[in-house]
mmCIF file of all heavy atoms in Angstrom:
data_model
loop_
_atom_site.group_PDB
_atom_site.id
_atom_site.type_symbol
_atom_site.label_atom_id
_atom_site.label_comp_id
_atom_site.label_asym_id
_atom_site.label_seq_id
_atom_site.Cartn_x
_atom_site.Cartn_y
_atom_site.Cartn_z
ATOM 1 N N GLY A 9 116.979 102.070 164.058
ATOM 2 C CA GLY A 9 118.357 102.241 164.478
ATOM 3 C C GLY A 9 118.452 103.209 165.637
ATOM 4 O O GLY A 9 117.475 103.889 165.980
ATOM 5 N N PRO A 10 119.611 103.290 166.269
ATOM 6 C CA PRO A 10 119.806 104.174 167.420
ATOM 7 C C PRO A 10 119.869 105.641 167.024
ATOM 8 O O PRO A 10 119.922 105.986 165.839
ATOM 9 C CB PRO A 10 121.147 103.693 167.991
ATOM 10 C CG PRO A 10 121.880 103.189 166.784
ATOM 11 C CD PRO A 10 120.834 102.531 165.937
ATOM 12 N N ALA A 11 119.879 106.510 168.027
ATOM 13 C CA ALA A 11 119.936 107.957 167.797
ATOM 14 C C ALA A 11 121.191 108.340 167.018
ATOM 15 O O ALA A 11 122.282 107.866 167.308
ATOM 16 C CB ALA A 11 119.918 108.687 169.142
ATOM 17 N N GLY A 12 121.019 109.181 166.009
ATOM 18 C CA GLY A 12 122.159 109.691 165.261
ATOM 19 C C GLY A 12 122.721 108.762 164.208
ATOM 20 O O GLY A 12 123.792 109.028 163.653
ATOM 21 N N ALA A 13 122.000 107.683 163.888
ATOM 22 C CA ALA A 13 122.502 106.739 162.884
ATOM 23 C C ALA A 13 122.230 107.212 161.462
ATOM 24 O O ALA A 13 122.659 106.586 160.501
ATOM 25 C CB ALA A 13 121.874 105.352 163.093
ATOM 26 N N GLY A 14 121.519 108.326 161.322
ATOM 27 C CA GLY A 14 121.245 108.875 159.993
ATOM 28 C C GLY A 14 119.905 108.454 159.431
ATOM 29 O O GLY A 14 119.645 108.645 158.232
ATOM 30 N N LYS A 15 119.039 107.901 160.268
ATOM 31 C CA LYS A 15 117.769 107.352 159.791
ATOM 32 C C LYS A 15 116.905 108.386 159.060
ATOM 33 O O LYS A 15 116.418 108.124 157.963
ATOM 34 C CB LYS A 15 116.960 106.778 160.971
ATOM 35 C CG LYS A 15 117.659 105.699 161.760
ATOM 36 C CD LYS A 15 116.768 105.138 162.848
ATOM 37 C CE LYS A 15 116.346 106.154 163.884
ATOM 38 N NZ LYS A 15 117.474 106.738 164.641
ATOM 39 N N SER A 16 116.722 109.544 159.677
ATOM 40 C CA SER A 16 115.823 110.547 159.104
ATOM 41 C C SER A 16 116.335 111.072 157.766
ATOM 42 O O SER A 16 115.584 111.177 156.794
ATOM 43 C CB SER A 16 115.636 111.708 160.083
ATOM 44 O OG SER A 16 115.040 111.260 161.279
ATOM 45 N N THR A 17 117.609 111.412 157.722
ATOM 46 C CA THR A 17 118.195 111.932 156.490
ATOM 47 C C THR A 17 118.086 110.918 155.362
ATOM 48 O O THR A 17 117.688 111.250 154.235
ATOM 49 C CB THR A 17 119.672 112.293 156.719
ATOM 50 O OG1 THR A 17 119.770 113.260 157.765
ATOM 51 C CG2 THR A 17 120.296 112.853 155.447
ATOM 52 N N ILE A 18 118.430 109.674 155.670
ATOM 53 C CA ILE A 18 118.373 108.604 154.663
ATOM 54 C C ILE A 18 116.942 108.357 154.219
ATOM 55 O O ILE A 18 116.668 108.216 153.019
ATOM 56 C CB ILE A 18 118.978 107.294 155.246
ATOM 57 C CG1 ILE A 18 120.426 107.515 155.695
ATOM 58 C CG2 ILE A 18 118.873 106.171 154.227
ATOM 59 C CD1 ILE A 18 121.352 108.027 154.650
ATOM 60 N N ALA A 19 116.013 108.312 155.167
ATOM 61 C CA ALA A 19 114.613 108.038 154.844
ATOM 62 C C ALA A 19 114.028 109.120 153.937
ATOM 63 O O ALA A 19 113.265 108.826 153.003
ATOM 64 C CB ALA A 19 113.796 107.909 156.116
ATOM 65 N N LYS A 20 114.373 110.377 154.185
ATOM 66 C CA LYS A 20 113.874 111.472 153.357
ATOM 67 C C LYS A 20 114.336 111.311 151.910
ATOM 68 O O LYS A 20 113.553 111.502 150.969
ATOM 69 C CB LYS A 20 114.369 112.812 153.907
ATOM 70 C CG LYS A 20 113.707 113.253 155.198
ATOM 71 C CD LYS A 20 114.336 114.557 155.684
ATOM 72 C CE LYS A 20 113.804 114.951 157.051
ATOM 73 N NZ LYS A 20 114.455 116.175 157.571
ATOM 74 N N LEU A 21 115.595 110.979 151.727
ATOM 75 C CA LEU A 21 116.138 110.832 150.378
ATOM 76 C C LEU A 21 115.538 109.628 149.660
ATOM 77 O O LEU A 21 115.254 109.679 148.458
ATOM 78 C CB LEU A 21 117.666 110.707 150.439
ATOM 79 C CG LEU A 21 118.382 111.975 150.919
ATOM 80 C CD1 LEU A 21 119.861 111.694 151.163
ATOM 81 C CD2 LEU A 21 118.213 113.098 149.908
ATOM 82 N N LEU A 22 115.314 108.540 150.398
ATOM 83 C CA LEU A 22 114.680 107.363 149.809
ATOM 84 C C LEU A 22 113.228 107.659 149.436
ATOM 85 O O LEU A 22 112.721 107.165 148.424
ATOM 86 C CB LEU A 22 114.747 106.187 150.787
ATOM 87 C CG LEU A 22 116.137 105.584 151.003
ATOM 88 C CD1 LEU A 22 116.117 104.616 152.186
ATOM 89 C CD2 LEU A 22 116.624 104.855 149.743
ATOM 90 N N ALA A 23 112.561 108.476 150.254
ATOM 91 C CA ALA A 23 111.175 108.850 149.966
ATOM 92 C C ALA A 23 111.095 109.578 148.629
ATOM 93 O O ALA A 23 110.196 109.326 147.812
ATOM 94 C CB ALA A 23 110.633 109.731 151.090
ATOM 95 N N GLU A 24 112.053 110.471 148.399
ATOM 96 C CA GLU A 24 112.079 111.216 147.132
ATOM 97 C C GLU A 24 112.387 110.289 145.963
ATOM 98 O O GLU A 24 111.752 110.382 144.911
ATOM 99 C CB GLU A 24 113.125 112.330 147.209
ATOM 100 C CG GLU A 24 112.787 113.427 148.205
ATOM 101 C CD GLU A 24 113.892 114.455 148.328
ATOM 102 O OE1 GLU A 24 114.867 114.375 147.548
ATOM 103 O OE2 GLU A 24 113.788 115.342 149.198
ATOM 104 N N ARG A 25 113.338 109.395 146.163
ATOM 105 C CA ARG A 25 113.765 108.512 145.071
ATOM 106 C C ARG A 25 112.668 107.537 144.661
ATOM 107 O O ARG A 25 112.498 107.235 143.477
ATOM 108 C CB ARG A 25 115.030 107.754 145.481
ATOM 109 C CG ARG A 25 115.572 106.852 144.380
ATOM 110 C CD ARG A 25 116.928 106.258 144.749
ATOM 111 N NE ARG A 25 117.975 107.263 144.827
ATOM 112 C CZ ARG A 25 119.282 106.976 144.899
ATOM 113 N NH1 ARG A 25 119.683 105.700 144.906
ATOM 114 N NH2 ARG A 25 120.175 107.931 144.981
ATOM 115 N N PHE A 26 111.907 107.051 145.643
ATOM 116 C CA PHE A 26 110.899 106.027 145.351
ATOM 117 C C PHE A 26 109.464 106.546 145.465
ATOM 118 O O PHE A 26 108.519 105.762 145.458
ATOM 119 C CB PHE A 26 111.097 104.827 146.283
ATOM 120 C CG PHE A 26 112.360 104.062 146.027
ATOM 121 C CD1 PHE A 26 113.522 104.344 146.745
ATOM 122 C CD2 PHE A 26 112.416 103.084 145.050
ATOM 123 C CE1 PHE A 26 114.695 103.650 146.506
ATOM 124 C CE2 PHE A 26 113.578 102.380 144.798
ATOM 125 C CZ PHE A 26 114.729 102.666 145.527
ATOM 126 N N ASN A 27 109.320 107.874 145.553
ATOM 127 C CA ASN A 27 107.994 108.499 145.607
ATOM 128 C C ASN A 27 107.149 107.943 146.757
ATOM 129 O O ASN A 27 106.019 107.491 146.564
ATOM 130 C CB ASN A 27 107.252 108.317 144.273
ATOM 131 C CG ASN A 27 106.037 109.225 144.164
ATOM 132 O OD1 ASN A 27 105.995 110.290 144.776
ATOM 133 N ND2 ASN A 27 105.042 108.794 143.419
ATOM 134 N N LEU A 28 107.712 107.978 147.964
ATOM 135 C CA LEU A 28 107.032 107.488 149.156
ATOM 136 C C LEU A 28 106.736 108.661 150.097
ATOM 137 O O LEU A 28 107.421 109.676 150.061
ATOM 138 C CB LEU A 28 107.922 106.475 149.898
ATOM 139 C CG LEU A 28 108.424 105.276 149.097
ATOM 140 C CD1 LEU A 28 109.472 104.507 149.914
ATOM 141 C CD2 LEU A 28 107.277 104.348 148.723
ATOM 142 N N MET A 29 105.721 108.495 150.946
ATOM 143 C CA MET A 29 105.481 109.495 151.985
ATOM 144 C C MET A 29 106.413 109.194 153.151
ATOM 145 O O MET A 29 106.420 108.088 153.678
ATOM 146 C CB MET A 29 104.031 109.447 152.476
ATOM 147 C CG MET A 29 103.781 110.406 153.644
ATOM 148 S SD MET A 29 102.100 110.310 154.319
ATOM 149 C CE MET A 29 101.218 111.201 153.036
#
Side-chain angles (χ1 to χ4, degrees):
K15 302 183 298 298
S16 298
T17 302
I18 302 303
K20 288 177 186 177
L21 293 171
L22 289 169
E24 293 176 6
R25 182 172 293 192
F26 292 94
N27 194 27
L28 305 171
M29 175 183 284

